[in-house]
Amino acid sequence: MALLRKINQVLLFLLALTLCGILYKKIVRKGAVLKNEADDDSPEDMEEEIPVVICAAPGRMGAAMAAINSIYSNTDANIVFYVVGLRNTLSRIRKWIEHSKLREINFKIVEFNPVVLKGKIRPDSSRPELLQPLNFVRFYLPLLIHQHEKVIYLDDDVIVQGDIQELYDTTLALGHAAAFSDDCDLPSAQDNNRIVGLQTTYMGYLDYRKKTIKDLGISPSTCSFNPGVIVANMTEWKHQRITKQLEKWMQKNVEENLYSSSLGGGVATSPMLIVFHGKYSTINPLWHIRHLGWNPDTRYSEHFLQEAKLLHWNGRHKPWDFPSVHNDLWESWFVPDPAGIFKLNHNR
């Protein structure tokens, strides 16, 4: 009996050992499968995110929504929208996106605190709307966007007709923190002579009567650029302390009134012209067809506008208001306000 009991115990032990072996093999095999699945999702194989920064300002929030709609509808790229607003507008921004056709987009709402601008803005611009805090968000990109090497910034009064991936693929030269559109590189269909009063040089933005400006050694006939469309390298931006440089020239303007009032648009553009002088790459001109808001009597051919990748209504005459031009192109991307606050001005 004792011998039989001992044999049973040995058999039970061997059975338990066999079961453990089987279980071990299953676990190891499953682990290998999970590891392979994880490998499939490695960062190298994941689709790259394209960060697009756009501001949703009070009173013109519908502009940002139209821009976002046009971008999202014309690409298969993995876009993440950083929608920047002031604290008292954040809930409205979220509601507009989540209760409209934009609910499918990948987005993050970012609060911009205007306290960073204290003491850095002169209150005497001929265009007060350009003094609103969100106009300076482009100065602070690395403080708002942390995990991306390359970022696209767009003004809100644009629509995108091309694939934003093309703009994102803009090559930035070594040592350049940003790419802009040169004002001297406008397509022939946008002949500068047709746009009365348009400035394309530094003379239109900087007051060359001031010693501080003369001492820069920049020729007043130097071609300016438009910072309404920016492709930025965040590593270079931080390395060159671009934000600190821009703040320095904002403060100097408060003290010395350095920027020309002839354009009235130099509030945010002028510091960028100084800081980025001779140190920026260029964007394909078709990716920034601008000045559509400059003169409501200046129209362009339908063929020219269809070829454009991005349209920008910079200037006083916005496409959601009256008078303005080529409103139909903008309105085709308009997303109605769920709260019913933002309305188009159809007085035309």
Side-chain angles (χ1 to χ4, degrees):
M1 289 292 289
L3 180 61
L4 186 59
R5 192 180 301 114
K6 200 159 198 170
I7 291 171
N8 286 337
Q9 287 175 346
V10 171
L11 289 172
L12 284 171
F13 174 77
L14 292 172
L15 180 62
L17 197 62
T18 303
L19 289 171
C20 286
I22 293 170
L23 286 171
Y24 175 78
K25 286 181 180 179
K26 286 186 176 181
I27 290 170
V28 169
R29 192 178 297 117
K30 186 176 181 181
V33 171
L34 290 173
K35 186 176 186 298
N36 289 337
E37 290 173 350
D39 288 346
D40 290 341
D41 291 333
S42 63
E44 291 81 5
D45 295 329
M46 289 176 67
E47 187 181 5
E48 184 178 13
E49 277 189 338
I50 297 179
V52 176
V53 180
I54 192 162
C55 297
R60 49 191 282 170
M61 205 172 285
M65 301 303 163
I68 290 170
N69 186 27
S70 69
I71 296 165
Y72 182 72
S73 300
N74 284 307
T75 187
D76 291 323
N78 183 20
I79 311 296
V80 55
F81 293 97
Y82 288 84
V83 189
V84 186
L86 303 177
R87 176 171 294 181
N88 61 351
T89 65
L90 302 184
S91 60
R92 186 174 168 222
I93 294 170
R94 183 172 297 279
K95 180 179 178 183
W96 199 322
I97 293 173
E98 294 181 346
H99 292 80
S100 72
K101 65 188 296 182
L102 300 178
R103 66 178 65 90
E104 300 297 324
I105 71 170
N106 181 13
F107 73 99
K108 297 177 182 179
I109 295 177
V110 182
E111 178 186 352
F112 181 68
N113 189 343
V115 72
V116 297
L117 301 174
K118 188 175 181 181
K120 300 183 181 76
I121 303 175
R122 291 184 65 89
D124 56 355
S125 170
S126 61
R127 289 181 60 190
E129 74 273 16
L130 296 177
L131 296 177
Q132 64 97 4
L134 295 181
N135 200 38
F136 299 92
V137 161
R138 71 197 87 194
F139 289 13
Y140 296 94
L141 292 177
L143 301 181
L144 299 170
I145 314 299
H146 304 292
Q147 67 268 43
H148 300 284
E149 168 75 8
K150 198 174 186 182
V151 172
I152 293 174
Y153 168 88
L154 299 177
D155 275 354
D156 62 355
D157 50 355
V158 308
I159 61 165
V160 172
Q161 302 185 135
D163 186 339
I164 199 76
Q165 179 78 53
E166 294 178 25
L167 180 61
Y168 184 75
D169 290 340
T170 298
T171 300
L172 273 67
L174 188 65
H176 286 178
F180 307 98
S181 295
D182 270 335
D183 285 331
C184 299
D185 287 345
L186 291 173
S188 57
Q190 277 197 298
D191 183 356
N192 297 342
N193 295 325
R194 299 178 60 194
I195 312 176
V196 178
L198 180 64
Q199 300 288 340
T200 60
T201 66
Y202 274 52
M203 175 66 85
Y205 294 89
L206 307 181
D207 188 345
Y208 276 84
R209 296 171 298 178
K210 302 294 173 66
K211 183 178 185 301
T212 300
I213 297 300
K214 288 180 182 177
D215 289 347
L216 289 170
I218 301 174
S219 168
S221 62
T222 300
C223 182
S224 55
F225 59 80
N226 186 298
V229 176
I230 307 173
V231 181
N233 180 312
M234 292 294 93
T235 300
E236 279 296 333
W237 192 292
K238 288 181 280 191
H239 176 70
Q240 298 179 31
R241 298 172 61 84
I242 296 294
T243 297
K244 286 293 182 186
Q245 292 189 58
L246 291 168
E247 288 185 325
K248 166 191 162 184
W249 284 101
M250 291 170 75
Q251 289 169 330
K252 278 184 172 292
N253 184 53
V254 170
E255 297 162 3
E256 304 178 46
N257 193 18
L258 301 174
Y259 305 144
S260 171
S261 59
S262 62
L263 270 184
V267 183
T269 301
S270 300
M272 300 194 84
L273 291 177
I274 295 172
V275 171
F276 284 100
H277 174 251
K279 295 184 292 186
Y280 67 91
S281 299
T282 55
I283 291 170
N284 180 333
L286 288 177
W287 268 102
H288 197 176
I289 299 302
R290 50 205 180 277
H291 308 308
L292 272 68
W294 196 261
N295 185 338
D297 297 320
T298 302
R299 300 185 66 87
Y300 303 102
S301 73
E302 293 304 313
H303 175 73
F304 170 66
L305 294 174
Q306 286 170 6
E307 291 292 311
K309 305 287 189 178
L310 182 149
L311 300 174
H312 188 185
W313 279 263
N314 60 310
R316 297 176 185 270
H317 304 283
K318 304 304 182 186
W320 56 87
D321 213 340
F322 178 84
S324 55
V325 293
H326 304 299
N327 315 72
D328 54 326
L329 293 174
W330 185 88
E331 287 183 23
S332 65
W333 300 109
F334 175 61
V335 180
D337 182 1
I341 299 171
F342 183 94
K343 292 184 172 68
L344 301 179
N345 181 356
H346 290 290
N347 184 27
R348 52 180 179 272

